[in-house]
Amino acid sequence: MLERFHSNSPKDKREEYLYHLIRTSSTIGRVFETERHGQKFLKLFPGSKYEESVRSLMLSSLFFEGEYETCLEVAGAMEPELEKEAPSKQHDIALHVLGGSYFYTGQFDKAVEYLKEHPKLYPESQFKIAARYFEGSNYAALQMWKTAASLLDKFLDDFPNPKENAYLPFALYDRANCHFAEEEYEDALNCLNRVETEFPEAGNRERVFNLKGNILQVENKADEAEKYYLKALNLAERKENKTIAGDSLFYLVGLLGEEKNPRIKEALPYYDKFWAEYGSDSPYKAQMAVAGLPALDASNRSQEGLDRLQGVIAQLAKRPGAFGLEEAINSYTKFFLKNKENTEEKLKQLYYDFPGINREDKAAQAILRIALIGVFEDISETAAKEDDERAVSKANASIKVLFEDLKKDFELNTLSNFILVSVGDYLREKTNSPRQAIPYYEEALGRSDQSYRFPAMFGLADVYGRSDSAGDLEKSAKQLLRVYDDSKDKSQKEQALFRATEVYAKLKNWDKTKELSRSYLDPEKNYNQFAPQASLLLGQAFDALGDKKSALAVFARTNGAYTGLISVSAPSMKRYMELLWERNKTATSESLSDKQQAYNFGHQFLEQTRHIRSSDRMDETDRVLWDAVEDLVLKYEANPSVTPAPKKQEQ
């Protein structure tokens, strides 16, 4: 009333009551009044002793009422102008609001800087609990699991009292997600069980039940997983949380509707319920349309499923960056071709003129091309197994044309992350110009949508790892280790760790090469795909670091374990012979001289592998490596200190 009827009061009086009006409106949650009166105050009383408090009240009021977009606008303009060297309440609030607003609006990359800076500058902030939680949870949202896990563990240790820490059940859920990503299922369940038993009123219980179902399903405890998905569904429906209810139905259909599940038809009621109650605007419609296909096929309703999926694909195609479009098209391809009457040629005609997808829908058109490429890749693979070179050549020619069309006809910003990574992988793996792939990977990594983050990061790192530039190699190693630390895909983690080892060897950083090759060969990891090559790199690292004794042991073990793999065994044997020759221990009553042993081991290797050398299948690189061992054996054989092996009698 004072402001309304006495706005012409003396300035000092009006300054007082206008400030208290702002403070009061903020306290009772009248956000827009706080903002309106605050803007008026700042204009009328620049430099007021209340200025900092008014700005803070405006911001905090907007933030706690969920006006995040407005917060970003106001705080974004304010924060750069605030004093950063001398801590201030206003700067404290601005950082908290910016980080929290980016976090709540899903702009996790943009949130990182503010969420990291806030706890560092204001460890005793009035918002310290929220700030610390946001930072850890934000890294979990970015799938930076190890960083998130460390921050969340410290948060849980520092603020264990639920009466003071309202974020506790949410932090436990996020920590469970980190454990799940790292395949630490027991630890993940422990976190979720705490939420279930200690926080009966927690706002995220339906999410907790779904995640618990996910873990139990991975552990092949299908009955228990089903129970938790149903608990999540019932709770979500009581709370009218349509998103989580749709999620639960999707999980139930995915669990029960697997192709070899004897209960597969029991998935259909959940499938039908989804479309009847949630299908019109659910973000999970693409996933559900895909997940339901096996059950529909088993119940002679496959055409119904294809028709629905076709409609979903057409709808998704109209939304740039729509999640699930790739999976939907790939599933359509698979189930379309299950019908013997549907040929690859029919599919090609359909995908070049797909119902509901206009020529201008470039992203969808590109995904349809990729799906066709997948079909021809399968044809090529099958033909190769059958030694049908003509069919292989024909399929590969189609693949090449489709990829060239993708590269020529579609601008980067029209392609989905899946397509960008697919084209990048093709350019990296199947052409002589792998650096052409860089803009495709960079486009995917530069987007706020971080699906395919790790495949893109690995592809980019692999391209840089082929360079001779130290700068490129350093970038490659850093990104590969990021993939190893945070990817959920075990195969991808293994490949990233090995490639990082190779890159550090190329950089001649032998300490790091030794560390990573040992890590790769750790029996607990059970990595096998690149074990021979990692073993060779470990020997080379010991050798370069001057630890000749360890190098000898590793080279001997490598050659013994992988004799038939010439690319590894030949360089291992050659360097093993050289190290023995250089050590040059004389003969004793119990052992031969080092020089004699170097010759003997090399000669034995040649005899064991000569049949491989004479094979037409040995490539030129391996032939050169084998010949280098033979040259060294002949050289040592000519030395007077060596007794040559008896010549074999010709038959």
Side-chain angles (χ1 to χ4, degrees):
M1 289 174 68
L2 284 167
E3 174 59 20
R4 184 180 300 166
F5 298 117
H6 301 283
S7 59
N8 59 349
S9 297
K11 286 192 72 171
D12 59 334
K13 298 284 188 185
R14 190 180 181 196
E15 181 181 2
E16 288 289 331
Y17 66 63
L18 185 54
Y19 166 67
H20 289 297
L21 172 58
I22 294 162
R23 185 176 60 78
T24 308
S25 64
S26 173
T27 301
I28 63 174
R30 294 186 177 178
V31 179
F32 295 107
E33 287 186 46
T34 305
E35 173 71 11
R36 180 162 55 86
H37 294 311
Q39 293 290 358
K40 186 193 300 180
F41 183 96
L42 295 174
K43 185 176 180 181
L44 291 172
F45 306 108
S48 167
K49 63 181 179 180
Y50 297 124
E51 181 177 356
E52 182 175 328
S53 180
V54 167
R55 290 186 186 277
S56 301
L57 287 166
M58 290 166 63
L59 265 182
S60 56
S61 180
L62 287 167
F63 183 71
F64 290 115
E65 287 299 314
E67 299 292 332
Y68 302 124
E69 295 295 343
T70 307
C71 282
L72 290 173
E73 184 179 339
V74 175
M78 178 192 301
E79 195 272 336
E81 306 299 323
L82 298 173
E83 179 61 54
K84 296 178 177 58
E85 299 301 326
S88 68
K89 181 180 179 182
Q90 195 173 340
H91 188 235
D92 175 6
I93 291 174
L95 279 178
H96 176 63
V97 167
L98 275 171
S101 296
Y102 280 126
F103 173 75
Y104 279 129
T105 55
Q107 300 179 71
F108 304 115
D109 279 328
K110 292 181 179 179
V112 169
E113 176 189 347
Y114 301 105
L115 294 178
K116 186 176 181 180
E117 188 177 10
H118 187 229
K120 184 169 65 176
L121 290 181
Y122 301 99
E124 297 305 318
S125 166
Q126 61 177 314
F127 310 110
K128 65 183 178 183
I129 294 179
R132 292 272 301 279
Y133 168 66
F134 290 163
E135 185 182 14
S137 183
N138 193 70
Y139 279 116
L142 287 168
Q143 299 182 16
M144 297 176 68
W145 304 114
K146 289 188 182 300
T147 304
S150 175
L151 290 166
L152 289 166
D153 281 340
K154 193 161 190 331
F155 174 80
L156 291 165
D157 287 342
D158 290 348
F159 307 106
N161 187 348
K163 293 180 180 178
E164 298 173 354
N165 182 1
Y167 296 95
L168 204 52
F170 302 94
L172 287 167
Y173 171 79
D174 288 331
R175 187 62 182 94
N177 251 323
C178 296
H179 283 306
F180 184 39
E182 296 293 319
E183 300 181 5
E184 299 162 356
Y185 303 131
E186 185 177 349
D187 290 329
L189 287 173
N190 288 338
C191 290
L192 297 174
N193 289 338
R194 281 193 61 191
V195 181
E196 187 176 0
T197 57
E198 297 175 26
F199 301 94
E201 303 301 322
N204 63 340
R205 283 173 67 83
E206 60 269 44
R207 293 179 184 275
V208 166
F209 293 152
N210 269 339
L211 180 56
K212 192 167 181 179
N214 294 159
I215 297 167
L216 293 166
Q217 185 173 349
V218 168
E219 292 187 324
N220 296 315
K221 298 176 181 176
D223 291 342
E224 292 181 62
E226 182 182 359
K227 181 179 76 172
Y228 273 95
Y229 291 146
L230 287 170
K231 286 178 75 169
L233 174 62
N234 292 333
L235 181 56
E237 289 190 323
R238 284 205 308 273
K239 294 168 68 173
E240 298 185 354
N241 187 338
K242 291 187 175 182
T243 299
I244 301 302
D247 201 0
S248 303
L249 288 167
F250 164 62
Y251 289 138
L252 283 163
V253 171
L255 175 71
L256 297 169
E258 292 179 346
E259 290 190 53
K260 295 182 180 180
N261 189 342
R263 297 175 58 197
I264 188 169
K265 293 182 181 180
E266 293 180 38
L268 291 177
Y270 299 116
Y271 176 87
D272 292 334
K273 176 183 175 68
F274 177 90
W275 292 109
E277 300 178 28
Y278 304 104
S280 61
D281 55 1
S282 171
Y284 297 100
K285 62 172 64 177
Q287 293 96 309
M288 182 59 86
V290 169
L293 282 172
L296 291 165
D297 189 48
S299 303
N300 298 317
R301 292 171 59 184
S302 57
Q303 190 57 50
E304 174 192 337
L306 284 172
D307 290 344
R308 172 165 276 139
L309 186 53
Q310 188 179 104
V312 167
I313 289 169
Q315 287 178 27
L316 291 174
K318 292 176 173 58
R319 299 204 309 267
F323 181 73
L325 182 58
E326 296 91 347
E327 291 80 0
I329 290 174
N330 289 338
S331 291
Y332 189 95
T333 304
K334 174 184 173 182
F335 281 90
F336 180 88
L337 291 173
K338 280 188 77 172
N339 186 334
K340 301 294 184 185
E341 296 179 4
N342 293 332
T343 64
E344 290 83 5
E345 192 56 38
K346 277 188 179 180
L347 183 71
K348 185 175 179 180
Q349 291 173 5
L350 174 66
Y351 278 9
Y352 269 81
D353 192 18
F354 197 90
I357 297 181
N358 298 324
R359 295 282 181 183
E360 292 74 30
D361 294 331
K362 294 293 186 180
Q365 292 287 348
I367 296 172
L368 290 166
R369 303 279 180 94
I370 285 288
L372 282 173
I373 288 169
V375 171
F376 286 112
E377 284 178 336
D378 288 342
I379 293 171
S380 175
E381 189 176 328
T382 302
K385 289 177 182 176
E386 297 171 354
D387 289 327
D388 187 343
E389 292 185 10
R390 184 179 176 185
V392 170
S393 178
K394 185 178 178 182
N396 287 343
S398 296
I399 292 168
K400 183 177 180 181
V401 168
L402 285 163
F403 267 116
E404 288 300 322
D405 284 349
L406 274 170
K407 187 181 166 194
K408 179 181 65 178
D409 297 341
F410 298 90
E411 295 180 6
L412 293 182
N413 60 9
T414 68
L415 302 178
S416 71
N417 288 350
F418 168 69
I419 302 295
L420 289 166
V421 171
S422 298
V423 177
D425 288 349
Y426 175 79
L427 294 170
R428 174 171 62 89
E429 296 170 359
K430 304 290 179 66
T431 74
N432 294 323
S433 306
R435 292 187 79 88
Q436 289 184 73
I438 290 176
Y440 291 88
Y441 294 132
E442 287 182 337
E443 174 71 20
L445 290 169
R447 294 176 174 178
S448 57
D449 169 18
Q450 286 296 293
S451 58
Y452 296 93
R453 169 195 289 264
F454 293 118
M457 195 175 287
F458 178 85
L460 185 60
D462 187 57
V463 172
Y464 285 134
R466 302 177 189 207
S467 169
D468 292 323
S469 158
D472 281 353
L473 293 172
E474 291 285 359
K475 282 192 286 188
S476 172
K478 183 178 178 182
Q479 292 199 23
L480 287 165
L481 291 179
R482 166 74 198 287
V483 174
Y484 171 67
D485 284 340
D486 294 318
S487 174
K488 286 184 178 181
D489 186 323
K490 186 176 179 181
S491 174
Q492 194 175 71
K493 287 169 75 76
E494 178 180 357
Q495 193 173 4
L497 180 58
F498 173 69
R499 282 292 289 126
T501 310
E502 281 192 312
V503 171
Y504 277 115
K506 199 170 179 180
L507 281 165
K508 301 196 182 306
N509 185 336
W510 297 112
D511 283 315
K512 197 69 177 176
T513 304
K514 181 177 78 171
E515 174 196 333
L516 296 182
S517 53
R518 275 179 155 173
S519 178
Y520 183 94
L521 296 166
D522 181 351
E524 290 189 7
K525 288 189 173 65
N526 196 29
Y527 288 166
N528 299 303
Q529 187 178 358
F530 306 103
Q533 295 84 356
S535 187
L536 174 60
L537 287 170
L538 180 59
Q540 291 171 339
F542 278 127
D543 190 11
L545 291 167
D547 186 350
K548 305 302 181 185
K549 182 178 179 181
S550 296
L552 277 165
V554 174
F555 284 135
R557 187 166 63 244
T558 303
N559 180 67
Y562 309 110
T563 306
L565 186 61
I566 301 301
S567 61
V568 168
S569 61
S572 295
M573 176 52 68
K574 181 173 182 291
R575 188 57 185 149
Y576 181 67
M577 292 168 63
E578 291 169 342
L579 288 171
L580 276 177
W581 193 272
E582 291 166 10
R583 191 174 69 176
N584 195 24
K585 283 186 179 179
T586 56
T588 68
S589 58
E590 297 179 354
S591 65
L592 300 173
S593 70
D594 277 346
K595 289 187 174 181
Q596 185 65 50
Q597 288 195 78
Y599 167 76
N600 288 354
F601 283 125
H603 184 271
Q604 183 182 12
F605 170 80
L606 295 178
E607 294 304 308
Q608 288 176 328
T609 58
R610 196 174 297 279
H611 67 287
I612 301 174
R613 172 64 178 83
S614 60
S615 168
D616 292 338
R617 292 184 178 274
M618 180 182 264
D619 65 32
E620 185 59 29
T621 303
D622 285 358
R623 191 169 285 119
V624 169
L625 293 171
W626 192 94
D627 289 350
V629 177
E630 184 180 47
D631 291 344
L632 192 60
V633 168
L634 293 172
K635 177 183 174 182
Y636 288 173
E637 187 176 69
N639 191 287
S641 62
V642 169
T643 302
K647 300 289 184 185
K648 283 191 174 182
Q649 295 283 333
E650 290 190 12
Q651 297 294 321

